[in-house]
Amino acid sequence: DAGVTQSPTHLIKTRGQQVTLRCSPISGHKSVSWYQQVLGQGPQFIFQYYEKEERGRGNFPDRFSARQFPNYSSELNVNALLLGDSALYLCASRISADTDTQYFGPGTRLTVL
Amino acid sequence: AQSVTQLDSQVPVFEEAPVELRCNYSSSVSVYLFWYVQYPNQGLQLLLKYLSGSTLVKGINGFEAEFNKSQTSFHLRKPSVHISDTAEYFCAVRSSGGYQKVTFGTGTKLQVIP
C-alpha cells in the first residue's frame, strides 16, 4: 500500500509569492496534519483537518491556510512568502482525528529567495 | 501549554555501544509521549509511544523508552547501536485531552561511529 505522498518534493519561490503544497493520505485515513520543520529544529504543528473540517491550528499567521477535499487529500497554501518560510513541510495522516499514531510523508522542501 | 526539551543536540557513540537519548517534558495535564526517527531527506517514522500502562515501552529496531512521571522524563535507550541507527531522533508530547496538537523537541542527532 502507498504511504503518505506529497508534491512537489522541492520548490523554489521568491519573497511575496504564493505557494500550494499537496498531500495525499494513506488510503482509509481521514485526518491530515501539516507541520513546518525549519532546518535544525523539530516539526511545528500548523493545522489538523478531519473530514474536511479544521480541527486544530498552531501558532502561524493567517498567511497560512489549508483545506481538505472529499477524497481526504489536502492542500497547504502560504501567501506573501517570507525568507523565514523556507523549511521542510511535512504532512501526516491518521485514520481518524483521535488516533494517536500518525504516518508522515517525505515532505516538501520549500526555499524562499 | 506543553513543551519538550531534548538536552543533547548531538550524541556520538561507537557501534555496538549502548546509547541513551534524553527527553524531558512539561505539561499541566496528563500526556502521551512519542519518539520519532528521521533519516536524511525523509519524513518522520514512529519508533514508540507511551499512552498509559507499563512505563517501559518497547519500540521498533530494538529501541525502548521509560516514562518517569516524577522526573517528567521519557528517555530513549538502545543496548547496542548499529551504523544504520545514525539519524535524528525527536521526542514529542500530546496532552491527553483536546485535539491532536503534537509538540516536538528540537531533535538529537545520533552519530554511530564504526
Side-chain angles (χ1 to χ4, degrees), chain A:
Chain A
D1 287 341
V4 177
T5 59
Q6 293 185 242
S7 63
T9 54
H10 295 85
L11 203 52
I12 300 175
K13 292 285 188 178
T14 57
R15 282 179 297 175
Q17 286 189 311
Q18 175 264 343
V19 68
T20 299
L21 311 181
R22 295 176 177 83
C23 171
S24 292
I26 293 171
S27 177
H29 287 197
K30 299 181 179 180
S31 180
V32 168
S33 296
W34 286 95
Y35 293 85
Q36 180 196 64
Q37 186 179 16
V38 173
L39 196 64
Q41 297 185 21
Q44 288 199 38
F45 173 76
I46 309 176
F47 289 109
Q48 185 198 13
Y49 275 77
Y50 175 65
E51 293 279 14
K52 297 177 290 180
E53 299 285 330
E54 181 182 304
R55 280 298 194 96
R57 184 185 183 112
N59 188 24
F60 280 81
D62 292 343
R63 300 185 295 107
F64 288 77
S65 63
R67 55 180 176 169
Q68 186 177 31
F69 298 99
N71 67 353
Y72 305 111
S73 66
S74 177
E75 286 182 352
L76 175 70
N77 295 285
V78 186
N79 294 322
L81 285 167
L82 303 174
L83 296 180
D85 295 331
S86 295
L88 180 67
Y89 288 84
L90 296 164
C91 172
S93 79
R94 46 167 62 95
I95 291 175
S96 68
D98 300 324
T99 309
D100 290 286
T101 301
Q102 56 183 345
Y103 298 86
F104 283 83
T108 293
R109 174 73 64 186
L110 172 64
T111 301
V112 182
L113 302 176

Side-chain angles (χ1 to χ4, degrees), chain B residues 27-101:
Chain B
S27 176
S28 57
V29 298
S30 297
V31 296
Y32 300 147
L33 294 156
F34 308 84
W35 274 99
Y36 288 85
V37 61
Q38 186 175 35
Y39 298 102
N41 300 315
Q42 294 187 27
L44 279 72
Q45 180 183 5
L46 181 66
L47 274 178
L48 49 79
K49 60 184 177 183
Y50 172 79
L51 304 180
S52 63
S54 173
T55 57
L56 183 62
V57 180
K58 294 189 182 297
I60 63 172
N61 301 341
F63 284 93
E64 63 181 31
E66 186 158 17
F67 171 60
N68 188 319
K69 188 175 182 180
S70 62
Q71 297 187 7
T72 61
S73 67
F74 191 55
H75 301 332
L76 181 70
R77 302 185 183 100
K78 186 170 183 178
S80 176
V81 296
H82 302 132
I83 292 290
S84 59
D85 293 324
T86 295
E88 190 155 20
Y89 293 79
F90 292 94
C91 182
V93 63
R94 178 175 85 81
S95 297
S96 58
Y99 66 88
Q100 288 271 350
K101 178 182 176 181

